[in-house]
């Protein structure tokens, strides 16, 4: 019987981790609601006193979106002579020619087309190279799939009036949110981060992160924090923690929207998720102990721990998923202690908290909230299922990050699906090779589908809702992955 209690112990610890995650999310929701709706007074700058700004555009093989980006940046409303544009071009295809032709259309701009002889350091290396010659006191950064508002700089730069402010981040919005179910579910998740999480952390002066794009840095802050480093896959999160540990303040502006494109195909989403989750784990390995051992307030340490380790939630979900199979067998054989089921209500509380976080995030700006309620009832179960279905893929990334395994920076393919031709199949940057893990996801979908069927046939309904979510989640992730490969061949 000892092995049964060992099994219960591991299962319980994983469930406890998920429950603690929900409590932290609940606290962020509470902090968000405390400040939601408060009007922020923007500092006033005399027209002659606007500082010099450098806009950095890190580009690597972005033929589909680079013209759109350059047109948007060229339209930025900022005092003449105070704006410099750096196109940090590491491309190896015709993107470079497209950039040259597009820049020639804007001879009035102070623009530089910077090309390196190698991609050493990837995005971090390109940003660092550009910083060497940047004229601006402030550095605005946009990835290739963003379309910044023309007033972006006028809405962000004034907040650097506080000399302790090192970075200002704005909220991502979505150009192609309604393109497909996959993009709607991504928007569902990202809106929670860019409203509840970022606002909730910033409201209590906890660590927040630069999201890699659509933000502005004080140049001296970057240099004081040690400049860009490429030893993690999330150079943005890494520099954010180094800067805040050095005493710089960060500001988040949810009222400033920065539109961007969501990956419309599962292979591109998995590439993005792999980099984000592995990079987050690498930053936890690099920064967590130094944050915990420093003299920060307890709440700052708690939220920094949850922030740096948030990708480990996928490892907890994967553990609970796999162990639920023997738990299901033992439960149906009456070999589990009765008290085990008495704590189930705690995890229902966690589910309610997570549901509230996502409901608030996705209905906050909707005046007719009841309309959002119906969408929410449809999207929440699908989002939770697909998140569970991504647990295997993301757990592999987290494990590699925590154990120090190094892999190259793989950027997310961009599409520009706002064009009349919205077919992504011809995108040359997509990788349609299916790793072994994709077939394992298919096997997991089959396993949990069988368990659901057996539960209905036998009338043994222990863990049925959980296994149903897993069957749907792994099934959708596998089918979307495999279907993208089939569609690419047609």
């Amino acid at each position: 019987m000892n092995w049964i209690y060992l099994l219960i112990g591991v299962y319980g610890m994983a469930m406890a981790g998920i429950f603690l995650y929900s409590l932290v999310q609940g606290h962020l929701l509470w902090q968000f609601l405390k400040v939601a709706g408060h009007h922020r007074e923007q500092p006033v700058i005399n027209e002659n006193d606007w500082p010099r700004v450098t806009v950095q555009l890190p580009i690597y093989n972005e033929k589909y979106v680079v013209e759109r980006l350059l047109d948007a940046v060229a339209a930025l409303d900022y005092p003449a002579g105070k704006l410099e544009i750096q196109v940090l071009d590491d491309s190896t295809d015709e993107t470079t020619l497209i950039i040259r032709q597009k820049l020639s259309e804007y001879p009035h701009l102070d623009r530089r087309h910077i090309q390196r002889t190698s991609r050493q350091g990837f995005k971090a290396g390109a940003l660092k190279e550009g910083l060497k010659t940047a004229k601006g006191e402030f550095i605005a950064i946009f990835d290739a799939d963003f379309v910044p508002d023309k007033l972006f700089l006028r809405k962000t730069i004034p907040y650097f009036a506080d000399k302790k402010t090192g970075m200002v981040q704005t909220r991502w919005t979505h150009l192609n949110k309604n393109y497909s179910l996959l993009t709607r579910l991504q928007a569902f998740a990202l809106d929670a981060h860019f409203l509840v999480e970022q606002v909730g952390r910033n409201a209590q002066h906890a660590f927040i992160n630069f999201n890699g794009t659509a933000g502005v840095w004080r140049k001296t802050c970057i240099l004081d924090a040690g400049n860009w480093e490429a030893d993690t896959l999330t150079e943005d999160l890494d520099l954010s923690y180094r800067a805040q540990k050095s005493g710089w303040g960060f500001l988040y502006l949810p009222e400033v929207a920065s539109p961007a494109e969501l990956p419309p195909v599962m292979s591109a989403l998995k590439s993005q998720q792999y980099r984000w989750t592995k990079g987050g784990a690498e930053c936890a390995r690099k920064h967590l102990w130094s944050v915990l051992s420093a003299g920060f307030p307890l709440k700052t340490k708690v939220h920094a721990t949850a922030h740096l380790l948030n990708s480990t939630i996928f490892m907890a979900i994967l553990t609970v998923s796999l162990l639920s199979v023997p738990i299901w067998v033992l439960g149906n054989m009456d070999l589990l202690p009765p008290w085990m089921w008495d704590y189930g209500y705690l995890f229902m509380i966690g589910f309610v908290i997570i549901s509230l976080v996502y409901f608030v995030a996705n209905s906050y700006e909707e005046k007719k909230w009841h309309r959002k309620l119906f969408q929410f009832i449809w999207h929440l179960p699908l989002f939770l299922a697909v998140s569970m279905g991504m647990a295997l893929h993301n757990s592999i990334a987290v494990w590699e990050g925590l154990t120090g395994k190094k892999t190259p920076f793989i950027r997310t393919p961009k599409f520009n699906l706002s064009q009349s031709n919205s077919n992504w199949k011809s995108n040359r940057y997509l990788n349609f090779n299916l790793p072994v893990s994709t077939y394992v996801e298919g096997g997991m979908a089959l396993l949990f589908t069988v368990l659901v069927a057996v539960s209905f046939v036998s009338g043994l309904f222990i863990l049925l809702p959980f296994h149903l979510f897993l069957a749907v989640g792994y099934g959708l992730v596998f089918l979307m992955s495999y279907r993208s490969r089939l569609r690419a061949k047609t």
Side-chain angles (χ1 to χ4, degrees):
M1 293 294 290
N2 288 338
W3 68 271
I4 293 180
Y5 284 99
L6 176 62
L7 179 68
I8 294 172
V10 176
Y11 184 82
M13 285 190 292
M15 290 291 285
I18 296 172
F19 180 62
L20 290 174
Y21 170 82
S22 70
L23 292 182
V24 172
Q25 293 295 102
H27 187 255
L28 291 176
L29 175 61
W30 173 248
Q31 294 295 325
F32 168 78
L33 293 174
K34 285 170 61 176
V35 300
H38 290 192
H39 176 70
R40 193 195 310 265
E41 195 69 36
Q42 178 176 303
V44 177
I45 298 181
N46 185 284
E47 191 64 23
N48 297 321
D49 295 334
W50 287 90
R52 184 179 290 274
V53 175
T54 296
V55 177
Q56 290 188 323
L57 310 175
I59 304 293
Y60 174 65
N61 294 353
E62 301 288 7
K63 60 173 290 186
Y64 302 107
V65 295
V66 69
E67 290 183 278
R68 182 180 68 183
L69 170 67
L70 292 174
D71 284 337
V73 171
L76 287 172
D77 181 359
Y78 203 70
K82 298 290 185 71
L83 180 64
E84 175 193 29
I85 298 171
Q86 287 186 339
V87 183
L88 309 176
D89 180 21
D90 284 352
S91 299
T92 58
D93 67 358
E94 62 265 43
T95 301
T96 296
L97 178 60
I98 295 172
I99 291 172
R100 289 174 184 163
Q101 292 174 339
K102 178 56 66 173
L103 289 178
S104 68
E105 299 176 12
Y106 302 107
H108 62 287
L109 294 178
D110 181 1
R111 70 267 195 271
R112 293 194 61 203
H113 185 186
I114 300 175
Q115 295 176 273
R116 299 191 295 162
T117 57
S118 74
R119 287 190 72 208
Q120 182 177 359
F122 304 104
K123 180 180 176 181
L127 294 171
K128 189 174 183 179
E129 183 69 22
L131 202 64
K132 294 178 182 178
T133 56
K135 303 173 186 176
E137 179 184 351
F138 299 98
I139 310 295
I141 301 172
F142 294 102
D143 281 348
D145 55 329
F146 275 72
V147 185
D149 178 75
K150 62 183 294 185
L151 296 177
F152 176 88
L153 295 175
R154 290 190 179 271
K155 292 177 179 178
T156 54
I157 294 298
Y159 290 99
F160 287 98
D162 184 345
K163 299 299 182 183
K164 295 181 180 179
T165 298
M167 193 279 298
V168 171
Q169 175 67 50
T170 64
R171 177 170 60 96
W172 296 7
T173 54
H174 319 294
L175 292 169
N176 60 332
K177 175 180 178 178
N178 293 318
Y179 178 80
S180 67
L181 175 62
L182 186 61
T183 56
R184 287 193 293 272
L185 293 181
Q186 289 176 74
F188 187 85
L190 286 171
D191 287 346
H193 170 69
F194 283 101
L195 274 174
V196 173
E197 292 182 354
Q198 287 285 61
V199 173
R201 292 187 184 112
N202 205 208
Q204 55 186 320
H205 306 291
F207 285 13
I208 66 169
N209 61 295
F210 170 57
N211 291 109
T213 176
V216 185
W217 285 86
R218 191 187 297 271
K219 183 178 179 180
T220 52
C221 173
I222 297 176
L223 298 175
D224 179 65
N227 213 325
W228 295 101
E229 295 180 358
D231 56 346
T232 73
L233 293 181
T234 46
E235 73 293 323
D236 45 7
L237 180 61
D238 171 42
L239 182 60
S240 296
Y241 267 75
R242 284 189 280 121
Q244 290 169 104
K245 287 192 297 183
S246 298
W248 289 95
F250 281 17
L251 183 63
Y252 181 65
L253 302 178
E255 64 269 25
V256 180
S258 295
E261 185 179 277
L262 296 164
V265 58
M266 180 58 75
S267 60
L269 175 60
K270 280 186 170 181
S271 173
Q272 183 187 74
Q273 287 289 305
Y274 176 88
R275 190 175 71 251
W276 286 357
T277 52
K278 180 173 181 177
E282 289 175 327
C283 285
R285 178 185 170 100
K286 183 175 181 178
H287 294 292
L288 183 56
W289 175 248
S290 62
V291 171
L292 293 177
S293 59
F296 297 112
L298 178 60
K299 66 178 181 180
T300 299
K301 293 182 179 182
V302 169
H303 280 286
T305 300
H307 189 194
L308 288 169
L309 293 177
N310 64 3
S311 59
T312 61
I313 189 69
F314 291 104
M315 298 185 76
I317 292 172
L318 180 62
T319 300
V320 170
S321 303
L322 294 175
L323 294 185
S324 71
V325 178
I327 290 291
W328 178 83
V329 173
L330 293 172
N332 288 321
M333 295 174 64
D334 292 325
L335 294 177
L336 295 177
W339 55 261
M340 180 178 171
W341 308 108
D342 294 338
Y343 295 95
Y345 71 91
L346 291 176
F347 304 109
M348 286 303 300
I349 293 173
F351 173 77
V352 170
I353 292 173
I354 294 297
S355 300
L356 287 173
V357 168
Y358 283 99
F359 177 71
V360 170
N362 284 273
S363 63
Y364 178 71
E365 294 182 316
E366 179 67 49
K367 294 181 179 179
K368 296 180 179 179
W369 64 267
H370 59 278
R371 180 183 303 171
K372 272 291 183 181
L373 178 61
F374 291 111
Q375 295 179 8
F376 175 79
I377 293 172
W378 163 245
H379 283 147
L380 179 66
L382 281 175
F383 165 72
L384 293 176
V386 171
S387 296
M388 292 177 183
M390 291 288 289
L392 174 64
H393 174 271
N394 287 350
S395 292
I396 294 171
V398 174
W399 178 255
E400 290 181 354
L402 292 176
T403 56
K405 181 180 179 180
K406 295 298 180 182
T407 50
F409 183 103
I410 306 296
R411 66 107 169 94
T412 305
K414 315 300 190 305
F415 297 82
N416 196 0
L417 294 179
S418 60
Q419 295 177 340
S420 57
N421 179 12
S422 294
N423 191 339
W424 50 260
K425 291 190 292 183
S426 60
N427 190 305
R428 69 168 62 176
Y429 305 131
L430 277 173
N431 178 12
F432 292 105
N433 293 326
L434 296 182
V436 174
S437 59
T438 298
Y439 295 100
V440 177
E441 288 165 350
M444 299 276 274
L446 181 60
L447 168 65
F448 290 112
T449 299
V450 169
L451 288 180
V452 169
V454 170
S455 295
F456 277 110
V457 170
S458 63
L460 302 173
F461 298 126
I462 296 175
L463 297 177
L464 175 61
F466 184 52
H467 287 162
L468 184 58
F469 271 97
L470 290 168
V472 172
Y474 277 111
L476 285 174
V477 170
F478 172 74
L479 290 174
M480 287 181 181
S481 300
Y482 198 75
R483 182 169 172 259
S484 65
R485 185 184 184 188
L486 291 179
R487 288 184 62 184
K489 292 181 177 181
T490 61

